[in-house]
Structures are given as structure tokens and as C-alpha cells.
């Protein structure tokens, strides 16, 4: 494989128009800004079922279950790429399994069908470490592995991965996908996942309030810092099609840590930070997932490499949230 630097690819990309679903969410709000920096504000249409109070560019309300409206917006804005983020996440999904299945699957079908019928050039679909389950290896999960997800969210993401691969094989639709680990960022609140504690904890630390963690102290999970997750998304989408050997979803790794390791990293900056542990229903979900992921194929295919480890991410989170005293 010939290595082409990422920024060379960006400079040579065509003039695409992009539609993002679920753009008001934890990832969507950051991804929208980043795509606008690369493609130009007017070329990136943010959509969500929730209306944005402050829009920094084109925004349209869209319920992803409304295929006619999606099709109308694609035509009106001459869309050539879709980033399909709208979904109900792992912890929230368990409160209403039927609705979660309906939104996560039929939302994806609407995107796939519109993309196929209207000649969309590329689609991005985020999968998740929730596709793994109790029978999956616990450490360094390989790309091809046993997947027996135990949440409706994980089941929907696993099925979604297979539908993406099917649309690629059957219709030649260029879909790229990443199995995101838990995403940690300072820019936006998390949306109801099992890894949300790792974002919330920073806000408590900065306010110097005691934090009650809903996972046990030794529960290790794969995580990634938002700038790495966004960069991975742009890199996999801009890679030449022939580099993409995985058409279901790529394993993606940033870092892995337990709550107590995260607390230790935060206490280097906030020494008197108090944390207690009170596991709830999310503990069972976390226990069914693996603690680390082998992302060798992403590294080989499109040169993926995370920049942030636990120490660097912790310092950067605290800096952005206003805790400036770095010991
Ligand atoms: P989020 O819950 O923060 O955002 C989801 C957005 O979808 C929300 O703004 C919501 O209003 C919107 N939405 C809900 N129902 C909708 C509908 N019917 N039509 C249109 N929009 C609707 O989620 P997120 O964390 O930003 O995740 C984005 C994607 O990444 C999801 O597909 C999620 O499964 C995946 N993912 C996220 C993580 C993570 O840690 N955040 C990890 C793995 C995968």
C-alpha cells in the first residue's frame, strides 16, 4: 500500500455536500464543526430530530424514520455523502428495546435505501464495542471474532454492520464504518451510553464535587478521546476505496482503562477528588464487553494511530474544562 498523507487526501477531495443525521448529539456536534472546517460551512447540512437553538450553519429538522423527508433533503441540498449518527445508545436502549430496534435499524435502512437510489458517493456508519458479548475474547478482541451482544443496542449495531457489508457487496454502495469505543470529550454531554461515567467524572472533578461512579472500580473498557475519534472518522472516509478491506466495521482502539485508573490520573491534577462506587444496571452491560480491542487492520489499511493516552487525555480534558493547575 502506498502511504499518502491525510492532508494530501483532504486537499485533493472533490466538492462533496454532506448530510449528518443525529448532528446535535455528543459526536455529531463536534463532527459537524470539523467537517465544516474541511469542506466549508455551507457544504455540511446538520440534521436532527431535536431543533438546534444555535445553528452555526445549515440545519434541518429530520426524523430519520421519515424516508421521504430524507430523500427530499438529499435532493434539495445535492448531498453526496451521509454521516449517519442518529441512534439510541446502550444504556438508554435497554429502557425501550422495541423503540431502539426500530430507530437504529429502520433509520439505517432509510439511509441505505436513499443512498442507493439517489447515487450517494459515500456513507459513514458508526458501530460500537457493544457488538461484543460474553463469548467474545475479553482482551485484545480481533477484527473477526465471536459476537453475541447482550443489549438491544449491540444487536442493532451488529445487524447494522452486516447490512452495510451487504449493501456494499450487492449494490456497490461505498460505506465505511468504525466500531467506536466509549468516546470522551469536553465539548458535548454524552447521550446515554455505558461509558458516560468517563465524561461526567471530569465535570465533577473540575467543580470539586464528590463523584459516584456507576461502574465498579476495576471494570476496564476501551475508550477514545474525541479528537482521535473525529480524526479516525475523517481518515477512514477520505481513504481511497481500495484501501478499505473491512466493509462491516473496523475495530478501533484509543486507550483502555478502569474507573480507578481514571481516578488516579485525575487526582494527579485534583489531589483531593472524592469518588465512591455504586454499580447499577450498566455494570452488567459493561461486564459483557471486552476491555481492549485489536485495531491492527485499521492501522494497516489506512494508517490509523491514536494520539492520546490516558495521561494526555486527562490533562487536555481538565485544561478545556477550566482546571488549569497541572501538577
Ligand atoms: P447521542 O445520543 O449523543 O446523539 C444521538 C442524536 O440522535 C441526538 O442528538 C438525538 O436527538 C438524535 N436522534 C434521536 N432520535 C432521532 C431520530 N428519530 N431522527 C433523527 N435524529 C434522532 O449519540 P452520540 O454519542 O453522538 O453517538 C452517535 C453515534 O455514534 C451513534 O450511532 C452511536 O451509536 C455511535 N457510538 C457512540 C459512542 C459514544 O461513546 N458516544 C460509542 C460507540 C458508538
Amino acid at each position: 500500500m502506498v502511504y499518502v498523507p491525510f492532508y494530501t487526501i483532504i486537499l485533493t477531495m472533490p466538492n462533496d455536500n454532506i448530510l449528518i443525521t443525529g448532528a446535535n448529539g455528543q459526536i455529531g456536534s463536534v463532527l459537524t464543526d470539523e467537517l465544516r472546517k474541511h469542506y466549508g460551512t455551507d457544504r455540511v447540512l446538520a440534521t436532527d430530530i431535536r431543533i438546534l437553538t444555535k445553528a452555526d450553519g445549515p440545519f434541518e429538522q429530520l426524523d430519520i424514520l421519515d424516508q421521504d423527508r430524507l430523500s427530499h433533503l438529499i435532493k434539495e441540498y445535492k448531498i453526496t455523502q451521509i454521516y449517519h449518527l442518529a441512534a439510541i445508545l446502550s444504556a438508554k436502549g435497554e429502557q425501550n428495546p422495541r423503540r431502539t430496534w426500530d430507530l437504529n435499524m429502520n433509520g439505517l435502512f432509510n439511509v441505505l435505501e436513499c443512498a442507493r437510489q439517489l447515487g450517494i458517493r459515500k456513507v459513514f456508519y458508526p458501530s460500537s464495542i457493544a457488538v461484543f458479548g460474553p463469548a467474545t475474547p475479553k482482551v485484545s478482541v480481533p477484527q473477526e471474532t465471536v459476537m453475541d451482544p447482550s443489549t438491544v443496542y449491540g444487536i442493532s449495531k451488529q445487524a447494522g454492520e452486516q447490512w452495510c457489508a451487504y449493501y456494499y457487496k450487492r449494490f456497490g454502495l461505498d460505506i465505511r464504518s468504525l466500531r467506536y469505543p466509549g468516546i470522551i470529550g469536553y465539548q458535548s454531554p454524552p447521550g446515554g451510553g455505558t461509558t458516560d461515567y468517563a465524561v461526567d467524572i471530569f465535570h465533577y472533578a473540575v467543580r470539586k464535587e464528590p463523584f459516584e461512579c456507576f461502574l465498579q472500580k476495576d471494570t476496564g473498557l476501551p475508550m477514545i478521546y474525541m479528537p482521535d475519534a473525529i480524526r479516525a472518522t475523517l481518515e477512514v472516509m477520505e481513504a481511497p476505496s481500495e484501501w478499505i478491506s473491512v466493509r462491516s466495521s473496523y475495530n478501533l482502539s484509543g486507550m483502555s482503562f478502569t474507573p480507578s485508573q481514571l481516578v488516579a490520573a485525575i487526582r494527579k491534577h485534583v489531589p483531593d477528588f472524592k469518588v465512591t462506587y455504586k454499580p447499577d444496571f450498566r455494570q452488567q452491560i459493561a461486564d459483557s464487553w471486552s476491555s481492549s480491542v485489536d485495531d491492527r487492520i485499521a492501522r494497516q489499511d489506512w494508517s490509523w494511530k491514536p494520539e492520546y493516552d490516558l495521561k494526555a487525555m486527562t490533562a487536555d480534558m481538565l485544561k478545556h474544562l477550566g482546571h488549569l493547575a497541572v501538577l
Side-chain angles (χ1 to χ4, degrees):
M1 188 184 77
V2 183
Y3 176 72
V4 178
F6 175 55
Y7 288 104
T8 311
I9 299 166
I10 289 287
L11 289 174
T12 54
M13 72 199 172
N15 289 332
D16 278 298
N17 292 319
I18 296 174
L19 183 149
I20 307 175
T21 74
N24 289 354
Q26 185 197 7
I27 301 171
S29 51
V30 185
L31 183 62
T32 301
D33 285 349
E34 205 53 36
L35 285 169
R36 284 182 174 154
K37 276 187 214 151
H38 289 297
Y39 287 82
T41 301
D42 292 342
R43 290 193 174 277
V44 179
L45 174 65
T47 73
D48 201 289
I49 197 166
R50 289 182 291 148
I51 296 178
L52 251 192
T53 42
K54 174 185 143 290
D56 294 328
F59 176 83
E60 295 276 359
Q61 188 175 26
L62 170 68
D63 179 349
I64 197 55
L65 295 177
D66 184 347
Q67 190 179 342
D68 289 343
R69 177 145 172 83
L70 174 62
S71 166
H72 168 80
L73 290 175
I74 290 172
K75 289 180 201 155
E76 186 182 339
Y77 286 86
K78 300 187 172 42
I79 297 298
T80 56
Q81 289 192 32
I82 300 176
Y83 287 69
H84 173 48
L85 304 184
I88 298 177
L89 273 65
S90 57
K92 233 186 204 172
E94 292 309 290
Q95 286 153 24
N96 195 339
R98 187 75 193 258
R99 161 121 186 100
T100 303
W101 177 257
D102 183 35
L103 176 64
N104 292 5
M105 290 321 301
N106 290 323
L108 174 62
F109 271 125
N110 289 344
V111 169
L112 293 175
E113 270 307 292
C114 282
R116 177 175 80 83
Q117 289 168 19
L118 300 174
I120 292 294
R121 228 169 58 74
K122 275 189 243 178
V123 176
F124 176 74
Y125 175 68
S127 185
S128 161
I129 53 164
V131 295
F132 305 133
T136 307
K138 283 284 165 226
V139 178
S140 241
V141 184
Q143 178 68 44
E144 300 297 334
T145 188
V146 179
M147 290 193 277
D148 57 343
S150 56
T151 58
V152 63
Y153 172 71
I155 297 169
S156 71
K157 287 292 179 184
Q158 189 196 10
E161 287 187 5
Q162 295 310 314
W163 278 111
C164 289
Y166 179 88
Y167 268 70
Y168 172 72
K169 269 185 276 175
R170 178 79 201 270
F171 305 115
L173 188 61
D174 188 354
I175 308 176
R176 292 127 190 250
S177 174
L178 301 174
R179 286 177 186 148
Y180 286 141
I183 297 183
I184 300 162
Y186 57 86
Q187 301 95 329
S188 44
T194 303
T195 53
D196 287 8
Y197 88 86
V199 178
D200 296 338
I201 196 169
F202 282 98
H203 294 268
Y204 281 76
V206 167
R207 293 197 303 263
K208 299 219 164 20
E209 286 174 17
F211 180 71
E212 187 178 271
C213 181
F214 61 71
L215 295 184
Q216 275 161 1
K217 57 161 74 168
D218 56 353
T219 307
L221 288 174
M223 303 277 189
I224 192 168
Y225 194 35
M226 185 70 87
D228 275 340
I230 298 292
R231 188 169 50 81
T233 306
L234 296 186
E235 286 183 5
V236 75
M237 284 297 275
E238 291 307 331
S241 184
E242 57 277 15
W243 292 8
I244 306 296
S245 70
V246 175
R247 288 291 177 174
S248 51
S249 190
Y250 278 100
N251 274 4
L252 184 77
S253 181
M255 61 191 95
S256 286
F257 57 79
T258 63
S260 65
Q261 288 168 332
L262 178 56
V263 170
I266 293 175
R267 280 193 184 138
K268 294 222 162 79
H269 305 266
V270 188
D272 50 355
F273 183 40
K274 291 194 175 43
V275 178
T276 50
Y277 298 91
K278 194 174 174 203
D280 66 13
F281 72 100
R282 288 168 281 196
Q283 183 65 46
Q284 220 181 342
I285 299 177
D287 286 341
S288 74
W289 293 351
S290 307
S291 61
S292 61
V293 169
D294 178 349
D295 63 358
R296 185 173 336 184
I297 300 189
R299 289 171 188 257
Q300 281 162 11
D301 283 4
W302 42 276
S303 309
W304 164 242
K305 194 167 185 291
E307 276 177 10
Y308 288 86
D309 59 12
L310 176 57
K311 189 174 165 207
M313 182 267 294
T314 302
D316 202 60
M317 278 293 283
L318 291 171
K319 186 179 93 184
H320 280 97
L321 291 175
H323 184 85
L324 295 172
V326 176
L327 297 180

